[in-house]
Amino acid sequence: MANNNDKPAIIIAGMHKWYGDFHVLRDINIEVKKGERIVVCGPSGSGKSTMIRCINRLEEHQQGTIIVDGIELTNDIKKIDEVRREVGMCFQHFNLFPHLTILENCTLAPIWVRGIPKKEAEEIAMHFLEKVKIPDQAMKYPGQLSGGQQQRVAIARSLCMKPRTILFDEPTSALDPEMIKEVLDVMVELAEEGMTMIVVTHEMGFARKVADRVIFMDAGQIVEENTPAEFFDNPQNERTQLFLSQILH
Amino acid sequence: MTTETKKYPAGMHPVLPPPSGSVGPVRWMRDNLFSSISNTVLTLLGLYLVYIIVPPFIQWAFIDSVVVGAESRKECLAIMGEDRGACWSFVYRRWGQFVYGFYPVEERWRVNVAFILAAFTIAIVLVEKLRNDKRILIGAILLPVACFFLITGSSLFGLVSVPTNKMGGILLTLIVGLSGIFVSLPISIMLALSRISKLPIFSIFATIFIEFIRGVPLITLLFIASTLLSYFLPPGSNFDLLLRVLIMVTLFSAAYIAEVIRGGLAAIPTGQYEAADALGLSYWQSMRLIILPQALKISIPGIVGSFIGLFKDTTLVVIIGLLDPLGIGMAAISTTEWAGLSTELYVFIGLFFFIFCFSMSRYSLHLEKKLHTGH
């Protein structure tokens, strides 16, 4: 097992993607170690969301390899489902299931995908709802919750599958400023517990605080990759410098 | 008069009741019925219309009417004398035919039992508490089978078999309407899913099927069922007419409902599909647990609209010689005893269909309210 632990959680090598003729991702190479926290940033349209959506095959890549937990992503649906079981995802717009209660949102996948008995799934769900500090909302519907609460439920929903990695696709971009902090607090806590995380975000404070590495993307390419300290204080690339000057004021 | 203007510290302002006259029935009437001169005129006009239509109708249908005691229209008129009310006697006299068609009188009890079983089935399907019990739900699947054997007969249970051409009246409407409704819903879901499928075999087949069925009037399909189909079937094969009609009516409404459901599916944000995928749910799991519950909820008004249409369209079977209540009634009023009672007939048939269709639309409203989870 010790040997297994040294294996990278995610390997992306020479990955390209096109939307029709449009070359969105160009030669992406990333290796993510187990327990590593990576923040991906860049201007809008730079392909950062597309990139992390390739990791659980919400988007299909056309060239190169993506290996998640030792499983290579191909057209094989079984392999894709296997990867998706182990990789959680939180979306910009939460994407909770509006017709199910908060508790049902959290127990659905464990029951149907993992085959866990309902009662046990509910216990797990309550555990994680407590962790994101909203156990009292369990019987409500998503429509009755604030944005920040919904995003925390979405995080709990991912956690209920006990994933090895969680992908965050701009988790705070759709939130009011007041609610960003409550979501980031939960994410920081997760990071401290050693969860492998890839976070697409513009929250530079979060990046500085928890990221092991920051990846900057522009025009479908990885432009710069560095530790947060180096990245923020001593950006190498001209494009990075411009971007940082614009968002850090 | 002292005006109290207390200042409250920020965030400490108490909850006050609304000022009098801003809520309540008087306010409602002022807002909705008499808000302007034109509105007042329309309200009064509406009340006047109700006044000139409703009391005479009640007088005609209930007070001056004859139900029992007359054997023909002449006797009806004799009983009524000066007052010209409705002659319901023909409905009363022919009640058996209206309900059972030409089903053998001594076997009618089987239809009654089947009606009761069907009512149970509908109750199980519609009432959530009953539906949640697995054993009862299995009953809901077995009961219609029992109904089938009861109505058509089976030597296995010692029931005399009754040919389908003996079935008519309300029995026929319910057979065609209910089996059409219950069978077409699953077919339409499969059609809608096929139509949006990424696999061309499914989507092309579903599109051609739906467009063909929707492009042809139901009457044409019924004629195909009654005449044309026998040319395609091997000679000597006896494919029951009622069964053929059932298939056509079911496919017809399935095509329409499929399009309604497709609309509902299109309204589901892609984020729902992505969230289901990201959690590792399979295609069928995400459809069954995530997408369809939401899509069907959005489609309820349209689906029930199609059901209501289907239920009323069952009257078209009269054209190919099956006698639904309208057919029975038209036969009744063309006899010498009851000639000339078309008003009574159409009011009666109208009431019958109205009760069923109105119940369906009320249930759909109830469902919409119950399934509403957003705020």
Side-chain angles (χ1 to χ4, degrees):
Chain A
M1 282 310 278
N3 197 14
N4 194 24
N5 255 355
D6 300 335
K7 262 203 210 156
I10 295 161
I11 303 169
I12 302 175
M15 191 253 281
H16 291 259
K17 174 168 178 62
W18 290 264
Y19 283 130
D21 284 338
F22 180 55
H23 199 173
V24 266
L25 294 179
R26 308 173 189 181
D27 192 26
I28 304 291
N29 293 285
I30 302 174
E31 219 180 279
V32 183
K33 289 198 271 301
K34 286 205 168 112
E36 202 174 13
R37 277 88 56 175
I38 293 191
V39 165
V40 183
C41 60
S44 78
S46 60
K48 50 198 193 305
S49 281
T50 310
M51 193 272 289
I52 73 161
R53 287 157 60 88
C54 283
I55 297 173
N56 63 353
R57 196 69 168 192
L58 289 183
E59 303 283 352
E60 194 182 324
H61 63 284
Q62 283 102 342
Q63 222 180 76
T65 48
I66 301 177
I67 300 171
V68 183
D69 280 319
I71 302 162
E72 182 174 352
L73 281 171
T74 58
N75 282 324
D76 187 348
I77 291 178
K78 265 193 186 157
K79 295 240 166 103
I80 294 172
D81 280 342
E82 226 174 294
V83 166
R84 284 173 176 170
R85 279 200 289 273
E86 309 305 330
V87 177
M89 186 161 202
C90 294
F91 300 87
Q92 182 177 2
H93 296 288
F94 335 129
N95 299 352
L96 295 179
F97 306 128
H99 62 302
L100 300 177
T101 62
I102 299 308
L103 187 64
E104 288 166 337
N105 264 279
C106 293
T107 56
L108 184 111
I111 290 173
W112 291 95
V113 179
R114 291 249 192 256
I116 293 172
K118 190 174 173 220
K119 221 169 155 233
E120 198 182 320
E122 282 174 356
E123 279 163 22
I124 296 170
M126 286 314 293
H127 168 75
F128 286 115
L129 285 173
E130 262 159 47
K131 197 178 164 78
V132 299
K133 300 177 187 72
I134 31 178
D136 45 324
Q137 314 281 1
M139 291 305 153
K140 288 193 183 167
Y141 286 95
Q144 296 165 290
L145 267 57
S146 74
Q149 289 174 321
Q150 289 195 48
Q151 191 61 290
R152 284 184 284 149
V153 172
I155 294 173
R157 179 174 71 177
S158 301
L159 290 173
C160 285
M161 283 293 281
K162 307 251 171 88
R164 302 208 183 106
T165 306
I166 301 191
L167 310 172
F168 290 88
D169 188 2
E170 306 208 26
T172 55
S173 303
L175 296 178
D176 288 341
E178 276 185 315
M179 296 167 183
I180 291 178
K181 189 176 174 299
E182 64 187 53
V183 171
L184 288 180
D185 284 348
V186 170
M187 289 168 63
V188 169
E189 205 179 307
L190 267 185
E192 281 163 0
E193 284 168 15
M195 175 68 75
T196 313
M197 294 163 76
I198 302 182
V199 186
V200 172
T201 186
H202 294 132
E203 294 299 326
M204 291 303 134
F206 174 81
R208 224 182 242 279
K209 192 165 170 189
V210 305
D212 295 311
R213 250 189 304 161
V214 180
I215 290 174
F216 177 75
M217 286 181 71
D218 186 33
Q221 273 183 296
I222 294 180
V223 174
E224 190 161 345
E225 194 179 339
N226 222 328
T227 59
E230 279 293 299
F231 180 82
F232 289 113
D233 301 332
N234 189 17
Q236 301 298 311
N237 190 287
E238 209 176 296
R239 191 67 192 80
T240 320
Q241 290 159 5
L242 181 67
F243 177 76
L244 287 176
S245 73
Q246 272 162 352
I247 70 165
L248 293 178
H249 310 298
Chain B
M1 285 271 280
T2 52
T3 42
E4 249 183 296
T5 47
K6 251 188 213 155
K7 273 279 180 190
Y8 295 100
M12 296 301 286
H13 200 293
V15 178
L16 300 175
S20 64
S22 66
V23 284
V26 175
R27 174 64 187 231
W28 182 88
M29 291 215 307
R30 210 190 321 142
D31 281 351
N32 295 290
L33 298 177
F34 305 103
S35 59
S36 65
I37 293 173
S38 57
N39 204 344
T40 308
V41 170
L42 284 175
T43 302
L44 294 175
L45 200 68
L47 286 174
Y48 177 67
L49 278 176
V50 169
Y51 170 73
I52 60 167
I53 291 170
V54 174
F57 180 81
I58 291 173
Q59 184 82 17
W60 175 82
F62 300 108
I63 298 169
D64 294 339
S65 65
V66 174
V67 181
V68 218
E71 293 288 346
S72 68
R73 187 176 180 219
K74 268 199 191 124
E75 289 179 30
C76 257
L77 293 177
I79 294 170
M80 285 186 282
E82 287 293 290
D83 315 308
R84 282 300 167 87
C87 177
W88 299 119
S89 299
F90 85 102
V91 176
Y92 178 74
R93 295 283 165 204
R94 302 231 168 185
W95 182 250
Q97 265 188 31
F98 270 115
V99 178
Y100 309 97
F102 300 99
Y103 210 85
V105 178
E106 63 278 11
E107 302 292 336
R108 280 178 182 173
W109 64 271
R110 280 157 52 180
V111 177
N112 290 335
V113 175
F115 279 162
I116 293 167
L117 295 185
F120 272 121
T121 313
I122 293 169
I124 292 170
V125 173
L126 299 191
V127 181
E128 200 185 1
K129 266 188 202 143
L130 296 174
R131 203 167 53 217
N132 283 343
D133 190 321
K134 282 252 166 59
R135 284 163 300 175
I136 296 179
L137 199 62
I138 292 168
I141 298 162
L142 294 178
L143 286 180
V145 179
C147 287
F148 172 79
F149 284 118
L150 268 171
I151 292 172
T152 60
S154 153
S155 52
L156 206 68
F157 303 107
L159 297 171
V160 188
S161 87
V162 177
T164 53
N165 58 14
K166 297 278 184 217
M167 298 167 195
I170 292 173
L171 170 65
L172 181 75
T173 301
L174 290 180
I175 290 177
V176 178
L178 292 182
S179 43
I181 285 170
F182 281 108
V183 181
S184 67
L185 189 61
I187 295 178
S188 61
I189 292 173
M190 297 317 291
L191 275 174
L193 290 179
S194 304
R195 187 155 190 185
I196 60 164
S197 165
K198 280 182 209 144
L199 302 172
I201 306 175
F202 290 108
S203 64
I204 290 172
F205 168 78
T207 309
I208 291 174
F209 178 85
I210 289 169
E211 295 306 336
F212 171 74
I213 299 271
R214 292 205 310 165
V216 174
L218 178 57
I219 294 206
T220 314
L221 291 176
L222 290 176
F223 274 125
I224 291 174
S226 77
T227 59
L228 216 60
L229 220 57
S230 29
Y231 292 115
F232 298 121
L233 294 168
S237 65
N238 185 17
F239 194 20
D240 191 85
L241 177 62
L242 179 58
L243 186 59
R244 282 186 265 168
V245 166
L246 271 181
I247 292 172
M248 283 304 183
V249 168
T250 304
L251 294 182
F252 185 77
S253 82
Y256 275 88
I257 297 171
E259 286 299 278
V260 172
I261 294 175
R262 187 169 69 97
L265 287 167
I268 306 299
T270 47
Q272 293 290 307
Y273 291 88
E274 289 178 354
D277 282 347
L279 285 169
L281 293 171
S282 70
Y283 172 81
W284 288 109
Q285 284 174 336
S286 70
M287 283 300 150
R288 192 162 65 83
L289 301 165
I290 310 297
I291 307 301
L292 281 175
Q294 297 183 58
L296 290 177
K297 188 187 113 189
I298 301 172
S299 318
I300 288 172
I303 293 176
V304 174
S306 295
F307 282 165
I308 288 173
L310 161 79
F311 197 75
K312 290 186 298 181
D313 281 350
T314 58
T315 49
L316 290 174
V317 297
V318 80
I319 288 172
I320 55 164
L322 297 180
L323 290 179
D324 81 313
L326 195 57
I328 300 269
M330 293 205 296
I333 59 166
S334 55
T335 58
T336 44
E337 296 103 306
W338 304 112
L341 290 175
S342 50
T343 313
E344 282 87 342
L345 170 67
Y346 292 125
V347 169
F348 170 67
I349 300 291
L351 183 71
F352 164 71
F353 278 101
F354 179 77
I355 290 170
F356 277 90
C357 297
F358 187 66
S359 319
M360 281 194 252
S361 88
R362 295 315 293 186
Y363 181 75
S364 110
L365 276 181
H366 159 78
L367 254 192
E368 275 174 63
K369 270 201 200 116
K370 200 184 75 179
L371 295 177
H372 180 76
T373 58
H375 271 254

